[in-house]
Every structure is written in structure tokens, then in C-alpha cells.
Coordinates of all heavy atoms in Angstrom, one line a residue:
M1 N -120.8 -4.4 121.4 CA -120.7 -5.2 120.2 C -120.0 -4.5 119.1 O -120.2 -3.3 118.9 CB -122.2 -5.5 119.8 CG -122.3 -6.9 119.1 SD -124.0 -7.4 118.8 CE -124.3 -6.7 117.2
Q2 N -119.2 -5.2 118.4 CA -118.4 -4.6 117.3 C -119.3 -4.5 116.1 O -120.0 -5.4 115.7 CB -117.2 -5.5 117.0 CG -115.9 -4.7 117.3 CD -114.7 -5.5 116.8 OE1 -114.8 -6.8 116.8 NE2 -113.6 -4.9 116.5
K3 N -119.1 -3.4 115.4 CA -119.9 -3.2 114.2 C -119.2 -4.0 113.1 O -118.0 -3.8 112.9 CB -120.0 -1.7 113.8 CG -121.2 -1.4 113.1 CD -121.4 0.1 112.9 CE -122.5 0.2 111.8 NZ -122.3 1.4 111.0
K4 N -119.9 -4.7 112.3 CA -119.3 -5.5 111.3 C -119.2 -4.6 110.0 O -120.2 -4.0 109.6 CB -120.1 -6.7 111.0 CG -119.2 -7.9 110.6 CD -120.0 -9.1 110.4 CE -119.1 -10.1 109.7 NZ -119.9 -11.2 109.0
I5 N -118.0 -4.6 109.4 CA -117.8 -3.8 108.2 C -118.1 -4.7 107.0 O -117.6 -5.8 106.9 CB -116.4 -3.3 108.1 CG1 -116.1 -2.4 109.3 CG2 -116.2 -2.5 106.8 CD1 -114.6 -2.2 109.6
P6 N -119.0 -4.2 106.2 CA -119.3 -5.1 105.0 C -118.2 -5.1 104.1 O -117.6 -4.1 103.6 CB -120.5 -4.4 104.3 CG -120.7 -3.1 105.0 CD -119.7 -3.0 106.2
M7 N -117.7 -6.3 103.8 CA -116.6 -6.6 102.9 C -117.1 -7.2 101.6 O -118.0 -8.0 101.6 CB -115.6 -7.5 103.5 CG -115.0 -7.0 104.8 SD -113.8 -5.7 104.7 CE -112.4 -6.6 104.3
R8 N -116.4 -6.8 100.5 CA -116.8 -7.4 99.2 C -115.5 -7.7 98.5 O -114.4 -7.0 98.7 CB -117.6 -6.4 98.3 CG -119.0 -6.1 98.8 CD -119.8 -7.3 98.7 NE -121.2 -7.1 99.1 CZ -121.6 -7.2 100.4 NH1 -120.8 -7.5 101.3 NH2 -122.9 -6.9 100.7
K9 N -115.5 -8.6 97.5 CA -114.3 -8.9 96.8 C -114.3 -8.2 95.4 O -115.3 -8.2 94.7 CB -114.3 -10.4 96.6 CG -112.9 -10.9 96.1 CD -112.8 -12.4 96.3 CE -113.3 -13.1 95.0 NZ -112.9 -14.5 95.1
C10 N -113.1 -7.6 95.1 CA -112.9 -7.0 93.8 C -112.8 -8.1 92.8 O -111.9 -9.0 93.0 CB -111.7 -6.1 93.9 SG -111.1 -5.5 92.3
V11 N -113.5 -8.0 91.7 CA -113.4 -9.1 90.7 C -112.1 -8.8 89.8 O -111.8 -9.7 89.0 CB -114.6 -9.2 89.8 CG1 -115.8 -9.7 90.6 CG2 -115.0 -7.9 89.1
G12 N -111.4 -7.7 90.0 CA -110.2 -7.5 89.3 C -109.0 -8.1 90.0 O -108.3 -9.0 89.5
C13 N -108.7 -7.6 91.2 CA -107.5 -8.1 92.0 C -107.9 -9.2 92.9 O -107.0 -9.8 93.6 CB -106.8 -7.0 92.7 SG -107.9 -6.1 93.9
N14 N -109.2 -9.5 93.1 CA -109.6 -10.6 94.0 C -109.3 -10.4 95.5 O -109.2 -11.3 96.2 CB -109.1 -12.0 93.6 CG -109.8 -12.5 92.3 OD1 -111.0 -12.4 92.3 ND2 -109.1 -13.0 91.4
E15 N -109.2 -9.1 95.8 CA -108.9 -8.8 97.2 C -110.2 -8.4 97.9 O -111.1 -7.7 97.3 CB -107.9 -7.6 97.3 CG -106.5 -8.1 97.3 CD -105.5 -6.9 97.3 OE1 -105.7 -6.0 98.2 OE2 -104.6 -6.9 96.5
M16 N -110.3 -8.8 99.2 CA -111.5 -8.3 99.9 C -111.2 -6.9 100.4 O -110.2 -6.6 101.0 CB -111.7 -9.2 101.2 CG -112.0 -10.7 100.8 SD -113.6 -10.9 100.0 CE -114.7 -10.5 101.4
K17 N -112.2 -6.0 100.2 CA -112.1 -4.7 100.6 C -113.4 -4.2 101.3 O -114.4 -4.8 101.1 CB -111.8 -3.7 99.4 CG -110.6 -4.1 98.7 CD -109.6 -2.9 98.6 CE -108.3 -3.4 98.2 NZ -107.7 -2.5 97.2
E18 N -113.3 -3.1 102.0 CA -114.5 -2.5 102.5 C -115.4 -2.1 101.3 O -114.9 -1.5 100.4 CB -114.2 -1.3 103.4 CG -113.8 -1.6 104.7 CD -113.6 -0.4 105.6 OE1 -114.5 0.5 105.6 OE2 -112.5 -0.3 106.2
K19 N -116.7 -2.3 101.5 CA -117.7 -2.1 100.5 C -117.6 -0.6 100.0 O -117.7 -0.3 98.8 CB -119.1 -2.3 101.0 CG -120.1 -2.6 100.0 CD -121.4 -3.0 100.6 CE -122.5 -2.8 99.7 NZ -123.8 -3.1 100.3
K20 N -117.3 0.3 100.9 CA -117.3 1.7 100.6 C -116.1 2.1 99.7 O -116.1 3.2 99.1 CB -117.5 2.6 101.8 CG -116.3 2.5 102.8 CD -116.4 3.5 103.8 CE -115.1 3.5 104.6 NZ -115.2 3.5 106.1
E21 N -115.1 1.2 99.7 CA -113.9 1.5 98.9 C -114.1 1.0 97.5 O -113.2 1.2 96.6 CB -112.7 0.9 99.5 CG -112.2 1.5 100.8 CD -111.0 0.7 101.3 OE1 -110.1 0.4 100.5 OE2 -111.0 0.5 102.5
L22 N -115.1 0.3 97.3 CA -115.3 -0.4 96.0 C -116.4 0.3 95.1 O -117.2 1.1 95.7 CB -115.7 -1.8 96.1 CG -114.6 -2.7 96.9 CD1 -115.2 -4.0 97.3 CD2 -113.4 -2.8 96.0
I23 N -116.3 0.1 93.9 CA -117.4 0.6 93.0 C -118.2 -0.6 92.5 O -117.6 -1.6 92.1 CB -116.7 1.4 91.8 CG1 -116.1 2.6 92.3 CG2 -117.8 1.7 90.7 CD1 -115.4 3.4 91.2
R24 N -119.5 -0.4 92.5 CA -120.4 -1.5 92.0 C -120.6 -1.3 90.5 O -120.9 -0.2 90.0 CB -121.7 -1.4 92.8 CG -122.5 -2.6 92.7 CD -123.6 -2.5 93.8 NE -124.6 -3.5 93.6 CZ -125.9 -3.2 93.4 NH1 -126.3 -2.0 93.4 NH2 -126.7 -4.2 93.3
V25 N -120.4 -2.4 89.8 CA -120.7 -2.5 88.4 C -122.0 -3.3 88.3 O -122.1 -4.3 88.9 CB -119.6 -3.1 87.5 CG1 -120.0 -3.1 86.1 CG2 -118.3 -2.5 87.8
L26 N -123.0 -2.7 87.6 CA -124.3 -3.3 87.7 C -124.9 -3.6 86.3 O -124.7 -2.9 85.3 CB -125.2 -2.2 88.3 CG -126.6 -2.6 88.7 CD1 -126.5 -3.2 90.1 CD2 -127.4 -1.3 88.8
K27 N -125.6 -4.7 86.3 CA -126.4 -5.0 85.1 C -127.8 -4.7 85.4 O -128.4 -5.3 86.4 CB -126.2 -6.5 84.7 CG -126.8 -6.8 83.4 CD -126.5 -8.2 83.0 CE -127.7 -8.9 82.5 NZ -127.5 -10.3 82.3
T28 N -128.4 -3.8 84.8 CA -129.7 -3.4 85.1 C -130.7 -4.4 84.5 O -130.3 -5.2 83.6 CB -130.0 -2.0 84.4 OG1 -130.1 -2.1 83.0 CG2 -129.0 -1.0 84.8
P29 N -132.0 -4.3 84.9 CA -133.0 -5.2 84.3 C -133.1 -5.0 82.8 O -133.7 -5.9 82.1 CB -134.3 -4.9 85.1 CG -133.8 -4.3 86.4 CD -132.5 -3.6 86.0
E30 N -132.7 -3.9 82.3 CA -132.7 -3.6 80.9 C -131.4 -4.1 80.2 O -131.2 -3.8 79.0 CB -132.9 -2.1 80.6 CG -134.2 -1.5 81.0 CD -134.4 -1.3 82.5 OE1 -133.4 -0.9 83.1 OE2 -135.5 -1.5 83.0
D31 N -130.6 -4.9 80.9 CA -129.4 -5.4 80.4 C -128.3 -4.4 80.0 O -127.5 -4.6 79.2 CB -129.7 -6.3 79.1 CG -130.1 -7.7 79.5 OD1 -130.0 -8.0 80.7 OD2 -130.6 -8.4 78.6
E32 N -128.4 -3.3 80.7 CA -127.4 -2.3 80.5 C -126.3 -2.5 81.6 O -126.6 -2.8 82.7 CB -128.0 -0.9 80.7 CG -128.2 -0.1 79.5 CD -128.5 1.3 79.8 OE1 -129.6 1.5 80.4 OE2 -127.8 2.2 79.5
I33 N -125.0 -2.3 81.2 CA -124.0 -2.4 82.2 C -123.5 -1.0 82.6 O -123.1 -0.2 81.7 CB -122.8 -3.2 81.6 CG1 -123.2 -4.4 80.9 CG2 -121.7 -3.4 82.6 CD1 -123.2 -5.7 81.7
I34 N -123.7 -0.7 83.8 CA -123.4 0.7 84.3 C -122.5 0.7 85.6 O -122.5 -0.3 86.2 CB -124.7 1.5 84.6 CG1 -125.5 0.8 85.6 CG2 -125.5 1.7 83.3 CD1 -126.6 1.7 86.2
L35 N -121.9 1.8 85.9 CA -121.3 2.0 87.2 C -122.3 2.5 88.1 O -122.9 3.6 87.8 CB -120.1 3.0 87.1 CG -118.9 2.6 86.3 CD1 -117.8 3.7 86.4 CD2 -118.3 1.3 86.8
D36 N -122.6 1.8 89.2 CA -123.6 2.2 90.1 C -123.0 3.1 91.1 O -122.4 2.6 92.1 CB -124.3 0.9 90.7 CG -125.3 1.3 91.8 OD1 -125.7 2.5 91.8 OD2 -125.6 0.5 92.6
T37 N -123.1 4.4 91.0 CA -122.5 5.3 91.9 C -123.3 5.5 93.2 O -122.8 5.9 94.2 CB -122.3 6.7 91.2 OG1 -123.5 7.0 90.5 CG2 -121.1 6.6 90.2
T38 N -124.6 5.2 93.1 CA -125.4 5.3 94.3 C -125.3 4.1 95.2 O -125.6 4.2 96.4 CB -126.9 5.6 94.0 OG1 -127.4 4.3 93.4 CG2 -127.1 6.7 93.0
G39 N -125.0 2.9 94.6 CA -125.0 1.7 95.4 C -126.3 1.2 95.7 O -126.5 0.2 96.5
R40 N -127.3 1.7 95.1 CA -128.7 1.4 95.4 C -129.5 0.9 94.3 O -130.6 0.4 94.5 CB -129.4 2.6 96.0 CG -129.3 2.6 97.5 CD -129.9 3.8 98.1 NE -128.9 4.5 98.9 CZ -128.9 5.8 99.2 NH1 -129.8 6.6 98.6 NH2 -128.0 6.3 100.0
A41 N -129.0 1.0 93.1 CA -129.8 0.6 91.9 C -130.0 -0.9 91.9 O -129.2 -1.7 92.5 CB -129.0 1.0 90.6
N42 N -131.1 -1.3 91.3 CA -131.5 -2.7 91.2 C -130.7 -3.5 90.2 O -130.4 -2.9 89.1 CB -132.9 -2.8 90.9 CG -133.7 -2.9 92.2 OD1 -133.3 -3.5 93.2 ND2 -134.9 -2.4 92.2
G43 N -130.5 -4.7 90.4 CA -129.8 -5.5 89.4 C -128.7 -6.4 89.9 O -128.5 -6.4 91.1
R44 N -128.1 -7.1 89.0 CA -127.0 -7.9 89.4 C -125.7 -7.1 89.5 O -125.4 -6.4 88.5 CB -126.8 -9.1 88.4 CG -125.7 -10.0 88.7 CD -125.7 -11.1 87.7 NE -126.8 -12.1 88.0 CZ -126.6 -13.1 88.9 NH1 -125.5 -13.2 89.6 NH2 -127.6 -13.9 89.1
G45 N -125.0 -7.2 90.6 CA -123.8 -6.3 90.7 C -122.5 -7.1 90.9 O -122.5 -8.2 91.4
A46 N -121.4 -6.4 90.6 CA -120.1 -6.9 90.9 C -119.3 -5.8 91.4 O -119.7 -4.6 91.2 CB -119.4 -7.5 89.6
Y47 N -118.3 -6.0 92.2 CA -117.5 -4.9 92.8 C -116.1 -4.9 92.2 O -115.5 -5.9 92.0 CB -117.5 -5.1 94.3 CG -118.8 -4.9 94.9 CD1 -119.7 -5.9 95.1 CD2 -119.2 -3.6 95.4 CE1 -121.0 -5.7 95.6 CE2 -120.4 -3.4 95.9 CZ -121.3 -4.4 96.1 OH -122.5 -4.2 96.6
I48 N -115.6 -3.7 92.0 CA -114.2 -3.5 91.7 C -113.7 -2.3 92.5 O -114.4 -1.4 92.9 CB -114.0 -3.2 90.2 CG1 -114.9 -2.0 89.7 CG2 -114.2 -4.4 89.3 CD1 -114.5 -1.4 88.4
C49 N -112.3 -2.3 92.7 CA -111.7 -1.2 93.3 C -111.9 0.1 92.5 O -112.1 0.0 91.3 CB -110.2 -1.4 93.5 SG -109.7 -2.9 94.3
N50 N -111.8 1.2 93.1 CA -111.8 2.5 92.4 C -110.5 2.7 91.7 O -109.8 3.6 92.0 CB -112.1 3.6 93.4 CG -112.4 4.9 92.8 OD1 -112.5 5.0 91.6 ND2 -112.7 5.9 93.6
N51 N -110.3 1.9 90.7 CA -109.0 1.9 90.0 C -109.2 1.3 88.6 O -109.6 0.1 88.5 CB -108.1 1.0 90.9 CG -106.7 0.9 90.4 OD1 -106.4 1.3 89.2 ND2 -105.8 0.3 91.2
P52 N -108.8 2.0 87.6 CA -109.0 1.5 86.2 C -108.2 0.3 86.0 O -108.6 -0.5 85.1 CB -108.5 2.7 85.4 CG -108.5 3.9 86.2 CD -108.3 3.4 87.6
E53 N -107.1 0.0 86.7 CA -106.3 -1.2 86.6 C -107.2 -2.4 86.9 O -107.1 -3.5 86.3 CB -105.1 -1.1 87.4 CG -104.0 -0.2 86.9 CD -103.6 -0.6 85.4 OE1 -103.3 -1.8 85.2 OE2 -103.6 0.3 84.6
C54 N -107.9 -2.3 88.0 CA -108.8 -3.4 88.4 C -109.9 -3.7 87.5 O -110.3 -4.8 87.2 CB -109.3 -3.1 89.8 SG -108.1 -3.4 91.1
L55 N -110.4 -2.6 86.9 CA -111.5 -2.8 85.9 C -110.9 -3.5 84.7 O -111.5 -4.5 84.2 CB -112.0 -1.4 85.4 CG -113.1 -1.5 84.3 CD1 -114.3 -2.2 84.8 CD2 -113.5 -0.1 83.9
K56 N -109.7 -3.1 84.3 CA -109.0 -3.8 83.2 C -108.8 -5.3 83.5 O -109.1 -6.1 82.6 CB -107.6 -3.1 82.9 CG -107.5 -2.6 81.5 CD -106.1 -2.0 81.4 CE -106.1 -0.5 81.4 NZ -104.8 0.2 81.4
K57 N -108.3 -5.6 84.7 CA -108.1 -7.0 85.1 C -109.4 -7.7 85.1 O -109.5 -8.9 84.6 CB -107.5 -7.0 86.5 CG -106.0 -6.9 86.5 CD -105.5 -7.2 87.9 CE -104.4 -6.2 88.2 NZ -104.1 -6.1 89.6
A58 N -110.5 -7.1 85.6 CA -111.7 -7.7 85.8 C -112.3 -8.1 84.4 O -113.0 -9.1 84.3 CB -112.7 -6.9 86.5
I59 N -112.0 -7.3 83.4 CA -112.5 -7.6 82.1 C -111.6 -8.7 81.4 O -112.1 -9.6 80.9 CB -112.5 -6.3 81.2 CG1 -113.6 -5.4 81.7 CG2 -112.7 -6.6 79.7 CD1 -113.5 -4.0 81.3
K60 N -110.3 -8.5 81.6 CA -109.4 -9.5 81.0 C -109.5 -10.9 81.6 O -109.5 -11.9 80.9 CB -107.9 -9.0 81.3 CG -107.0 -9.3 80.1 CD -105.7 -8.6 80.3 CE -104.6 -9.5 79.6 NZ -103.3 -9.0 80.1
N61 N -109.7 -11.0 82.9 CA -109.8 -12.3 83.5 C -111.3 -12.8 83.5 O -111.6 -13.9 84.1 CB -109.2 -12.4 84.9 CG -110.0 -11.6 85.9 OD1 -111.2 -11.2 85.7 ND2 -109.5 -11.3 87.1
R62 N -112.1 -12.1 82.9 CA -113.5 -12.4 82.7 C -114.3 -12.5 84.1 O -115.4 -13.0 84.1 CB -113.7 -13.7 81.9 CG -113.0 -13.7 80.6 CD -113.7 -14.6 79.6 NE -113.1 -14.3 78.2 CZ -113.6 -13.5 77.4 NH1 -114.7 -12.9 77.6 NH2 -113.0 -13.3 76.2
G63 N -113.7 -12.0 85.1 CA -114.4 -12.0 86.4 C -115.6 -11.2 86.4 O -116.6 -11.5 87.0
L64 N -115.6 -10.1 85.6 CA -116.7 -9.2 85.6 C -117.9 -9.9 84.8 O -119.0 -9.9 85.2 CB -116.3 -7.9 84.9 CG -117.3 -6.7 85.0 CD1 -117.6 -6.4 86.5 CD2 -116.7 -5.5 84.4
E65 N -117.5 -10.5 83.7 CA -118.5 -11.2 82.9 C -119.2 -12.4 83.7 O -120.4 -12.6 83.6 CB -117.9 -11.8 81.6 CG -117.5 -10.7 80.6 CD -117.1 -11.3 79.3 OE1 -116.7 -12.4 79.2 OE2 -117.3 -10.5 78.3
R66 N -118.3 -13.1 84.4 CA -118.8 -14.2 85.3 C -119.8 -13.6 86.3 O -120.9 -14.2 86.5 CB -117.7 -14.9 85.9 CG -117.2 -16.1 85.1 CD -116.5 -17.1 86.1 NE -115.5 -16.5 86.8 CZ -114.2 -16.3 86.4 NH1 -113.8 -16.8 85.3 NH2 -113.4 -15.7 87.2
S67 N -119.4 -12.6 87.0 CA -120.2 -12.0 88.1 C -121.5 -11.5 87.6 O -122.6 -11.6 88.2 CB -119.5 -10.9 88.8 OG -118.3 -11.4 89.4
L68 N -121.5 -10.9 86.4 CA -122.7 -10.3 85.9 C -123.5 -11.3 85.0 O -124.6 -11.0 84.5 CB -122.4 -9.0 85.1 CG -121.7 -7.9 85.8 CD1 -121.3 -6.7 84.9 CD2 -122.5 -7.4 87.0
K69 N -122.9 -12.4 84.7 CA -123.5 -13.4 83.9 C -123.9 -12.8 82.5 O -125.0 -12.9 82.1 CB -124.7 -14.1 84.5 CG -124.3 -14.9 85.7 CD -125.4 -15.9 86.0 CE -125.2 -16.5 87.4 NZ -123.9 -17.1 87.7
S70 N -123.0 -12.0 82.0 CA -123.3 -11.3 80.8 C -122.0 -11.0 80.0 O -121.0 -10.8 80.6 CB -123.9 -10.0 81.2 OG -124.2 -9.2 80.1
H71 N -122.1 -11.1 78.7 CA -121.0 -10.7 77.9 C -120.8 -9.2 77.9 O -121.8 -8.4 77.9 CB -121.2 -11.1 76.4 CG -120.2 -10.6 75.5 ND1 -118.9 -11.0 75.5 CD2 -120.3 -9.7 74.5 CE1 -118.2 -10.4 74.6 NE2 -119.0 -9.5 74.0
I72 N -119.6 -8.7 78.0 CA -119.4 -7.3 78.1 C -118.7 -6.8 76.8 O -117.5 -7.1 76.6 CB -118.6 -6.9 79.3 CG1 -119.4 -7.3 80.5 CG2 -118.2 -5.4 79.3 CD1 -118.6 -7.2 81.8
P73 N -119.4 -6.1 75.9 CA -118.8 -5.7 74.7 C -117.7 -4.7 74.9 O -117.7 -4.0 75.9 CB -120.0 -5.1 73.9 CG -121.2 -5.4 74.7 CD -120.8 -5.7 76.1
A74 N -116.8 -4.6 73.9 CA -115.7 -3.7 74.0 C -116.1 -2.2 74.3 O -115.5 -1.5 75.0 CB -114.8 -3.8 72.8
E75 N -117.2 -1.8 73.6 CA -117.7 -0.4 73.8 C -118.1 -0.1 75.2 O -118.0 1.0 75.7 CB -118.7 0.0 72.7 CG -120.1 -0.5 72.9 CD -120.5 -1.6 71.9 OE1 -119.6 -2.3 71.5 OE2 -121.7 -1.7 71.7
V76 N -118.7 -1.2 75.8 CA -119.1 -1.0 77.2 C -117.9 -0.9 78.1 O -117.9 0.0 79.0 CB -120.1 -2.1 77.6 CG1 -120.4 -2.1 79.1 CG2 -121.4 -2.1 76.9
S77 N -116.9 -1.8 77.9 CA -115.8 -1.7 78.8 C -115.0 -0.4 78.6 O -114.5 0.2 79.5 CB -114.9 -2.9 78.6 OG -114.5 -3.1 77.3
D78 N -115.0 0.1 77.3 CA -114.4 1.4 77.1 C -115.1 2.5 77.9 O -114.4 3.4 78.5 CB -114.4 1.8 75.6 CG -113.4 1.0 74.8 OD1 -112.6 0.3 75.4 OD2 -113.5 1.1 73.6
R79 N -116.4 2.5 77.9 CA -117.2 3.5 78.5 C -116.9 3.4 80.0 O -116.7 4.4 80.7 CB -118.7 3.3 78.2 CG -119.6 4.3 78.9 CD -121.0 4.3 78.4 NE -121.6 3.0 78.2 CZ -122.1 2.4 79.3 NH1 -122.1 2.9 80.5 NH2 -122.7 1.2 79.1
L80 N -117.0 2.2 80.6 CA -116.7 2.1 82.0 C -115.3 2.6 82.4 O -115.1 3.3 83.4 CB -116.8 0.6 82.4 CG -118.2 -0.1 82.3 CD1 -118.1 -1.5 82.7 CD2 -119.3 0.7 83.0
Q81 N -114.4 2.2 81.5 CA -113.0 2.7 81.7 C -112.9 4.2 81.8 O -112.3 4.8 82.7 CB -112.2 2.2 80.5 CG -110.7 2.0 80.8 CD -110.3 0.8 81.6 OE1 -109.9 0.9 82.7 NE2 -110.5 -0.4 81.0
K82 N -113.6 4.9 80.9 CA -113.6 6.3 80.9 C -114.3 6.9 82.1 O -113.8 7.9 82.7 CB -114.3 6.8 79.6 CG -113.4 7.1 78.5 CD -114.1 7.7 77.3 CE -113.5 7.1 76.0 NZ -114.4 6.6 75.1
E83 N -115.4 6.3 82.5 CA -116.2 6.8 83.7 C -115.3 6.7 84.9 O -115.4 7.4 85.9 CB -117.5 6.0 83.8 CG -118.6 6.5 82.9 CD -119.9 5.7 83.1 OE1 -120.3 5.5 84.3 OE2 -120.4 5.3 82.1
L84 N -114.5 5.6 85.0 CA -113.7 5.4 86.2 C -112.5 6.3 86.3 O -112.1 6.6 87.4 CB -113.3 3.9 86.2 CG -112.9 3.3 87.5 CD1 -114.1 3.3 88.4 CD2 -112.5 1.8 87.3
S85 N -111.9 6.6 85.1 CA -110.7 7.4 85.2 C -110.9 8.9 85.3 O -112.0 9.3 85.1 CB -109.7 7.0 84.1 OG -110.4 7.1 82.9
Ligands
LIG101 ZN1 -109.1 -4.5 92.9

């Protein structure tokens, strides 16, 4: 039997990629937006490529806000941008 590779869609470039190639952006139950580096934290998540360009796109096209069902303030996107690069 073939092992199924978990695929997720990047909300920046909208490409399907292997889950392990993507970074999870997470809204915690405390309404904090963080990069989930463990992949295990609880909350609503969205996936982006390990690429600041995709984060930029995901913010610009509002894909990230839609996925997280949350407004993302500029200071949060700045922080994510820094963490990613
Ligand atoms: Zn991407």
C-alpha cells in the first residue's frame, strides 16, 4: 500500500504542497497569531510556504485572514515576516 503524503494548500501562492514543506500559521485560543513551528499547537491554522513572499501574498490577498477568520494587524504581519525571514 502506498503511503499517502499529507498535502496542504499555501494561502499565499495557492499551490498544494507537502505538509512538511509548509509553515503553519496559527490563531491560538487566546486570539494570538503565531507561527506554529511544532505543528502541534491547538487552534485554527493556515499553511504557507517557507517563504516570506508567500506570507506577503497571503496577507495581501487576505487568504490568511480568511483562513484564520481573524483580522491580522500590521504589527502582527510584520512580526510574522521577521520570524519567517
Ligand atoms: Zn506558497
Side-chain angles (χ1 to χ4, degrees):
M1 210 170 91
Q2 246 186 333
K3 212 177 162 208
K4 214 175 166 200
I5 300 162
M7 303 284 278
R8 291 291 181 275
K9 195 163 90 169
C10 167
V11 291
C13 60
N14 285 317
E15 275 177 48
M16 297 292 291
K17 300 237 166 139
E18 280 184 47
K19 204 175 158 185
K20 62 171 191 229
E21 289 178 45
L22 299 168
I23 291 179
R24 195 163 171 242
V25 184
L26 189 83
K27 187 175 138 190
T28 69
E30 290 78 37
D31 279 346
E32 253 190 298
I33 312 263
I34 58 164
L35 292 183
D36 175 20
T37 45
T38 67
R40 268 176 234 154
N42 268 327
R44 178 178 283 278
Y47 290 88
I48 50 164
C49 304
N50 189 0
N51 181 347
E53 284 304 310
C54 281
L55 178 62
K56 238 182 257 173
K57 272 189 225 161
I59 289 162
K60 217 174 150 194
N61 70 16
R62 306 208 169 264
L64 196 56
E65 293 193 333
R66 265 201 310 271
S67 299
L68 301 177
K69 297 200 192 309
S70 176
H71 173 67
I72 297 169
E75 76 252 28
V76 172
S77 51
D78 283 353
R79 178 168 50 80
L80 297 181
Q81 203 76 249
K82 265 183 219 132
E83 279 180 47
L84 202 60
S85 49

